[in-house]
Amino acid sequence: MTYRPLDAASLVEAREKRRVIDEEYYGLRYQRLRDVIHGVPRGTALFDGRTVYGYPQIGRVLRLDSGLAEQFEAPVWAEEKVDGYNVRIFRLDGELIGLSRGGFICPFTCDRAGDFIDPALFDDHPDLVLCGEMAGPGNPYMEGYPPYVEEDVKLFIFDMMRLDRPGFLPQAERMALAERYRLPQPEIFGRFELDQVAPLEEILLTINDDGREGIVLKEDSPRAKRAKYVTSNTSVSDIRLTAHEMLDLPPEYFTNRILRLVLFMDEEGLTRDAELHRQLGEAFLGGLFDSVRQYKEEGRVYHRYRCRFHSRENAERLITRLTATAKRSQVRIVQQRLEHDGGHWLLEFDKEFLRIGGAFGHLMGGGLVFD
Amino acid sequence: MTYRPLDAASLVEAREKRRVIDEEYYGLRYQRLRDVIHGVPRGTALFDGRTVYGYPQIGRVLRLDSGLAEQFEAPVWAEEKVDGYNVRIFRLDGELIGLSRGGFICPFTCDRAGDFIDPALFDDHPDLVLCGEMAGPGNPYMEGYPPYVEEDVKLFIFDMMRLDRPGFLPQAERMALAERYRLPQPEIFGRFELDQVAPLEEILLTINDDGREGIVLKEDSPRAKRAKYVTSNTSVSDIRLTAHEMLDLPPEYFTNRILRLVLFMDEEGLTRDAELHRQLGEAFLGGLFDSVRQYKEEGRVYHRYRCRFHSRENAERLITRLTATAKRSQVRIVQQRLEHDGGHWLLEFDKEFLRIGGAFGHLMGGGLVFD
């Protein structure tokens, strides 16, 4: 993991290869990298001469015992991995802008980021870019969320960058800024030597019991290499949450999680028992039976999202944006409600899974499959 | 489903497109269709002017209630679907030859077919081709088998053809021949009108309880269209048997079975309960934990096969053939034992899953994955 600057020659090359896309959205014109270019991450965005570097892809280890020594060369910080969507937040012309992993401006993040960030932070550090996870049942993109975010959303800042500079701020600087401006962060479990596997495994057992997702390891070195590792209970709950979309997700989504679960339990010395078996079986069947019932009762399979906005305009922007990209992913967005509710605009919309509806139509209509 | 003859022009075309392969095996030279050609099934084999037509692919329905009316135009015969491997058996120069689905000569079938077939059948009907399933724990290809074949293998004849003629013998003719020569057959449940869904669903409930695989429906008409339908318990037991190979199988192998299970239960009005959940969870985890244990103890993941042969030469032929095709499918065949045992040659060999060993090596060694 090295952080390379986006130089002029690379940008010209990227443009020629159509890897740079011109965007106009949210009253802003900018350019977005839709692929990695010479080590510069996908999702990097260029606003009138200011560059917001992308958040790099983080690899996963399925074992800590061997993974620590195999992946790292210096001690690592271990932090909680939060189950939400990745955002980069910065200030442009006085306004907070949230970018998705792919470099799209997210109107929900733009609308809500200010709830969690002391404005003095950007007054004092106008070139800061906050990297974080927006998580909770009120997010507009994902069905999963951490157990301790019981309603709406929360923001968790786990990295910082500066405009125009690739790479992250050192851990000490990031932690000092977070403390000074009382920024919400994921839990930081500490700094570990590479032979300190046992205390990390202890932490994982605890967060597994808590239903939290896992950890991110960050090498305390200039290259700041990262790796993630998740618990077995997360794998079960991922399956439970998404089984109703089984016909819309790549099938390895499910088999990968079973593999992670087994390797986690083997490493942690956990023994499988009837209760775990029951939970896993129910995770698979509960969601799929639900979607069969939805299809039989309503002729469609969907998930209903509920999100709160400060501004009606941002809610409408979100619906427009989701609708514009829906067809490509074979979903349909159906707005159910947008009304003022307790100081917020409450948006409710359904994400209908057209591929699932089509498959159920074929199969329940007695269609043949050759498999 | 129409049965088309293989005419000279098609054969020339197939040869030009390299869809006909010359084979020399078992002391025989022949040609094998490795793809469907103008409706002539893959696996069709040409022996010195005699053509053994391939067994066509059979589509699957996931619902009987709608599937009967949707797929068929005339009453159907319902027969048990046996969990084994598909063979076609015929006599050539006085010797029984068994062909696999793909048109390969199977030395195990050649060796053992005579145990189950009255020689008078081919004396009286030299141009007959028996289509059947070889099933049992002693088969050399598959880990699954029916609960009522407790040891070794059994043969079940479910269709008949004639040399040089596409298509199947009518059901009445096949049943008469089977009875006359006391051929083993799968259970034939009867002939059903297309509105007789309820009695078929009753039969499915019973065979689900018995742990039998499912049924094949055969239209009682010249086109003899077929469709298959399997029980929910079969889906669970498929998963149980193959979870140890999860990293070697296409992931949709597993998701397809969960889908079949849910649609079967929904159709049959079965309710999911803790016991089913436990069984499904255990099906996934038991096998995968076993393969992790194998890998940690022996550094490899494998399944051991035990098969009985009359002839030592056929056992050696099988090993040679399996070894020759192993590399392509990333397995390794390791012969463990070949010795005379109670009137048979007992062959034991391991099928090692190299892809799984490689993946475990990477993951347990702390390797990164990007998913």
Side-chain angles (χ1 to χ4, degrees), chain B residues 264-300:
Chain B
F264 179 92
M265 291 184 67
D266 181 69
E267 167 157 16
E268 294 281 347
L270 298 172
T271 48
R272 60 196 178 87
D273 57 16
E275 176 56 17
L276 175 71
H277 293 153
R278 193 195 58 71
Q279 286 174 11
L280 180 61
E282 181 162 33
F284 272 111
L285 296 188
L288 203 47
F289 267 94
D290 281 349
S291 64
V292 167
R293 188 179 39 72
Q294 269 191 343
Y295 181 78
K296 287 167 72 174
E297 288 175 4
E298 304 189 43
R300 62 190 188 122

Side-chain angles (χ1 to χ4, degrees), chain B residues 82-362:
Chain B
V82 177
D83 186 17
Y85 67 89
N86 182 290
V87 286
R88 285 162 289 146
I89 298 164
F90 62 105
R91 197 159 74 178
L92 193 67
D93 299 332
E95 211 171 342
L96 290 185
I97 303 294
L99 289 176
S100 72
R101 197 73 174 258
F104 295 95
I105 296 175
C106 165
F108 181 76
T109 310
C110 293
D111 188 275
R112 299 294 308 277
D115 298 359
F116 310 102
I117 300 166
D118 178 352
L121 174 70
F122 286 110
D123 293 342
D124 300 345
H125 301 273
D127 64 347
L128 208 59
V129 178
L130 304 178
C131 306
E133 203 83 351
M134 192 78 99
N139 93 78
Y141 303 120
M142 301 180 51
E143 299 182 30
Y145 55 89
Y148 46 81
V149 185
E150 289 172 10
E151 54 160 21
D152 196 23
V153 289
K154 284 197 163 44
L155 177 67
F156 301 87
I157 303 299
F158 49 72
D159 268 314
M160 296 180 190
M161 305 194 287
R162 296 212 184 263
L163 289 173
D164 306 326
R165 287 193 229 169
F168 299 115
L169 265 58
Q171 182 81 355
E173 195 175 343
R174 164 208 152 193
M175 285 166 70
L177 282 170
E179 186 178 9
R180 177 155 174 206
Y181 295 95
R182 295 171 311 283
L183 285 176
Q185 296 193 94
E187 184 173 354
I188 299 173
F189 299 108
R191 185 175 178 277
F192 297 83
E193 301 292 329
L194 298 186
D195 59 0
Q196 287 186 285
V197 174
L200 277 171
E201 288 181 347
E202 276 298 310
I203 289 166
L204 264 301
L205 276 183
T206 304
I207 69 173
N208 190 40
D209 288 343
D210 293 346
R212 296 196 278 171
E213 189 179 14
I215 60 172
V216 177
L217 300 166
K218 299 174 170 179
E219 189 173 277
D220 196 10
S221 70
R223 69 170 188 161
K225 183 173 181 180
R226 284 144 164 74
K228 56 190 174 185
Y229 181 67
V230 300
T231 70
S232 55
N233 283 339
T234 289
S235 295
V236 175
S237 87
D238 282 353
I239 291 169
R240 182 182 305 117
L241 277 168
T242 53
H244 72 109
E245 290 170 52
M246 189 175 286
L247 298 184
D248 200 55
L249 287 167
E252 59 270 25
Y253 179 93
F254 298 96
T255 51
N256 282 349
R257 277 160 179 78
I258 293 173
L259 178 67
R260 291 180 202 162
L261 178 157
V262 167
L263 292 186
F264 179 92
M265 291 184 67
D266 181 69
E267 167 157 16
E268 294 281 347
L270 298 172
T271 48
R272 60 196 178 87
D273 57 16
E275 176 56 17
L276 175 71
H277 293 153
R278 193 195 58 71
Q279 286 174 11
L280 180 61
E282 181 162 33
F284 272 111
L285 296 188
L288 203 47
F289 267 94
D290 281 349
S291 64
V292 167
R293 188 179 39 72
Q294 269 191 343
Y295 181 78
K296 287 167 72 174
E297 288 175 4
E298 304 189 43
R300 62 190 188 122
V301 176
Y302 64 97
H303 180 74
R304 181 156 299 173
Y305 287 86
R306 289 183 183 81
C307 318
R308 292 188 204 154
F309 290 80
H310 294 291
S311 130
R312 177 178 185 123
E313 194 182 2
N314 281 332
E316 286 166 344
R317 278 177 174 139
L318 179 76
I319 287 290
T320 305
R321 166 54 60 101
L322 290 176
T323 303
T325 57
K327 201 169 177 184
R328 199 172 37 205
S329 46
Q330 294 204 48
V331 298
R332 179 160 50 206
I333 302 297
V334 182
Q335 181 176 320
Q336 294 291 354
R337 187 178 168 201
L338 176 53
E339 56 191 42
H340 213 254
D341 175 272
H344 280 85
W345 286 92
L346 178 63
L347 171 68
E348 289 189 2
F349 65 90
D350 296 343
K351 184 177 173 186
E352 291 182 6
F353 305 101
L354 303 182
R355 208 181 278 120
I356 304 178
F360 278 167
H362 177 74

Side-chain angles (χ1 to χ4, degrees), chain A residues 22 34 49 52 77 82 118 126 142 147-148 156 185 225 231 244 294 301 313 350 368:
Chain A
D22 290 314
R34 65 170 173 185
V52 183
W77 286 93
V82 177
D118 178 352
M142 301 177 51
Y148 47 79
F156 301 87
Q185 296 193 94
K225 183 173 181 179
T231 69
H244 72 109
Q294 269 191 345
V301 176
E313 195 182 0
D350 296 343
L368 276 192

Side-chain angles (χ1 to χ4, degrees), chain A residues 57-63 65-67 70-71 225 227 246-247 251-252 254-256 258-263 265-266 270 272 274 276-278 280-282 284-286 288-289 292 296 360 363-371, chain B residues 57-63 65-67 70-71 225 227 246-247 251-252 254-256 258-263 265-266 270 272 274 276-278 280-282 284-286 288-289 292 296 360 363-371:
Chain A
Q57 211 188 351
I58 306 289
R60 178 191 303 280
V61 289
L62 275 65
R63 298 290 283 216
D65 44 12
S66 50
E70 180 69 20
Q71 295 304 328
K225 183 173 181 179
M246 188 175 287
L247 298 184
E252 59 271 26
F254 297 96
T255 52
N256 282 349
I258 293 172
L259 178 67
R260 291 179 202 163
L261 177 156
V262 167
L263 292 186
M265 292 184 66
D266 181 68
L270 298 171
R272 60 198 178 86
L276 174 72
H277 293 153
R278 192 195 59 70
L280 180 61
E282 180 162 35
F284 271 111
L285 297 188
L288 203 48
F289 267 94
V292 167
K296 288 167 72 173
F360 278 167
L363 297 174
M364 298 228 224
L368 276 192
V369 285
F370 290 88
D371 52 11
Chain B
Q57 212 189 352
I58 306 290
R60 179 190 302 281
V61 289
L62 274 66
R63 299 290 284 213
D65 44 13
S66 50
E70 180 68 20
Q71 295 304 329
K225 183 173 181 180
M246 189 175 286
L247 298 184
E252 59 270 25
F254 298 96
T255 51
N256 282 349
I258 293 173
L259 178 67
R260 291 180 202 162
L261 178 157
V262 167
L263 292 186
M265 291 184 67
D266 181 69
L270 298 172
R272 60 196 178 87
L276 175 71
H277 293 153
R278 193 195 58 71
L280 180 61
E282 181 162 33
F284 272 111
L285 296 188
L288 203 47
F289 267 94
V292 167
K296 287 167 72 174
F360 278 167
L363 298 174
M364 299 226 221
L368 277 190
V369 285
F370 289 88
D371 52 11

Side-chain angles (χ1 to χ4, degrees), chain A residues 104-211:
Chain A
F104 295 95
I105 295 174
C106 164
F108 181 75
T109 310
C110 294
D111 188 274
R112 299 295 308 278
D115 297 0
F116 310 102
I117 300 166
D118 178 352
L121 174 71
F122 286 110
D123 294 342
D124 301 344
H125 301 273
D127 64 346
L128 208 60
V129 179
L130 303 178
C131 306
E133 202 85 351
M134 193 78 100
N139 92 79
Y141 302 121
M142 301 177 51
E143 298 182 32
Y145 55 88
Y148 47 79
V149 184
E150 289 171 8
E151 54 159 22
D152 197 22
V153 289
K154 283 195 167 43
L155 178 66
F156 301 87
I157 302 299
F158 49 72
D159 268 314
M160 296 182 189
M161 305 194 288
R162 295 212 184 264
L163 291 173
D164 307 328
R165 287 194 228 167
F168 298 115
L169 265 57
Q171 182 83 355
E173 194 176 344
R174 166 211 152 191
M175 284 166 70
L177 281 170
E179 187 179 3
R180 177 152 175 210
Y181 295 95
R182 296 174 309 283
L183 286 175
Q185 296 193 94
E187 184 172 354
I188 299 174
F189 299 109
R191 185 174 178 277
F192 297 83
E193 301 292 330
L194 298 185
D195 58 0
Q196 288 186 285
V197 174
L200 276 172
E201 287 181 348
E202 277 298 310
I203 289 166
L204 264 301
L205 276 182
T206 305
I207 68 174
N208 191 39
D209 288 342
D210 293 347

